[in-house]
Amino acid sequence: QSALTQPASVSGSPGQSITISCTGTSSDVGSYNLVSWYQQHPGKAPKVMIYEVTKRPSGVSNRFSGSKSGNTASLTISGLQAEDEADYYCCSYAGSSTWVFGGGTKLTVL
Amino acid sequence: EVQLVQSGAEVKKPGESLKISCKGSGYSFNNYWIGWVRQMPGKGLEWMGIIYLGDSDTRYSPSFQGQVTISADKSINTAYLQWSSLKASDTAMYYCARPARSGSATPPTNWGQGTLVTVSS
């Protein structure tokens, strides 16, 4: 059960769009539409931004969207804002009631 | 409102035992899985294991199997994570988390506030 692969860092200017990828295998991301994305600010607990690949919880800005193609899921943030600067993690169901997380991506808003 | 409230920060010495808790409220506790996630200082999230409160079915990540024990007391809506002999490398923040759907061990949507465990001689 290896961690999902995310870029270590991404950056963008206010107002721009960025995409964070999350690559797994046919045993996790590729087999289930059960990928979630979390935002974590320093010293805070993770907060779900997207679940089940594309669903956005109540209260999460519609600037956040998710997608999946094959073994890779993606999180897109449009209209980048300063408060979006945080660490982002993906997590996939991996069968048999198990989870696997990505290594995390640090988003810097320039 | 769904809430997961974890026990407070702990400072322990190597070799000591520890049990931390996660109390759920605002939902039917018995119908959900609860997972535990480790975050070492400056590092990412790692899935440790998960328990179904209905029948105590428990699964562990291979990385944590034999290193920790996950349990629950459904009479008080509480899940536990315990160590029998702590090591300095167990120093981390530990989160409990719950999936969106009852009866399903899908990735979590609700998180506890975290319990900081510090192990130092």
Side-chain angles (χ1 to χ4, degrees):
Chain A
Q1 192 181 49
S2 299
L4 307 176
T5 300
Q6 298 182 232
S9 63
V10 298
S11 63
S13 299
Q16 288 186 329
S17 294
I18 62 95
T19 296
I20 301 172
S21 61
C22 169
T23 301
T25 68
S26 58
S27 298
D28 39 63
V29 175
S31 285
Y32 309 97
N33 289 323
L34 294 172
V35 177
S36 295
W37 289 92
Y38 306 96
Q39 176 191 68
Q40 187 179 37
H41 287 111
K44 300 294 188 181
K47 173 188 175 184
V48 64
M49 307 305 283
I50 296 289
Y51 68 103
E52 293 177 12
V53 179
T54 61
K55 296 179 180 178
R56 199 169 46 245
S58 172
V60 172
S61 171
N62 59 9
R63 297 186 297 105
F64 291 82
S65 62
S67 63
K68 193 188 88 166
S69 177
N71 296 339
T72 298
S74 298
L75 172 72
T76 297
I77 308 173
S78 59
L80 211 54
Q81 298 179 2
E83 65 254 35
D84 299 332
E85 185 162 296
D87 294 324
Y88 289 85
Y89 296 91
C90 60
C91 179
S92 175
Y93 182 71
S96 301
S97 302
T98 66
W99 305 338
V100 59
F101 283 95
T105 298
K106 182 176 182 60
L107 169 62
T108 300
V109 179
L110 302 170
Chain B
E1 179 195 6
V2 174
Q3 281 197 309
L4 298 173
V5 178
Q6 298 185 229
S7 50
E10 301 274 2
V11 179
K12 292 288 190 179
K13 297 186 185 317
E16 291 186 332
S17 63
L18 176 64
K19 192 173 190 177
I20 63 174
S21 65
C22 169
K23 184 174 176 64
S25 63
Y27 69 98
S28 181
F29 197 70
N30 290 356
N31 295 336
Y32 285 82
W33 293 81
I34 291 284
W36 286 94
V37 177
R38 182 177 79 174
Q39 188 168 38
M40 299 178 76
K43 301 299 184 182
L45 304 174
E46 302 173 87
W47 178 69
M48 302 176 71
I50 195 167
I51 186 166
Y52 183 61
L53 281 304
D55 61 6
S56 294
D57 183 9
T58 308
R59 314 291 171 90
Y60 293 93
S61 161
S63 299
F64 292 93
Q65 179 84 48
Q67 307 305 307
V68 297
T69 300
I70 294 171
S71 62
D73 184 341
K74 58 186 180 182
S75 69
I76 55 171
N77 293 359
T78 301
Y80 301 98
L81 176 65
Q82 70 179 91
W83 296 259
S84 59
S85 180
L86 286 160
K87 302 184 283 288
S89 57
D90 292 317
T91 294
M93 182 70 81
Y94 293 89
Y95 294 100
C96 63
R98 195 210 80 169
R101 298 172 185 248
S102 64
S104 177
T106 54
T109 50
N110 299 87
W111 293 71
Q113 83 277 19
T115 296
L116 180 62
V117 174
T118 302
V119 183
S120 174
S121 54

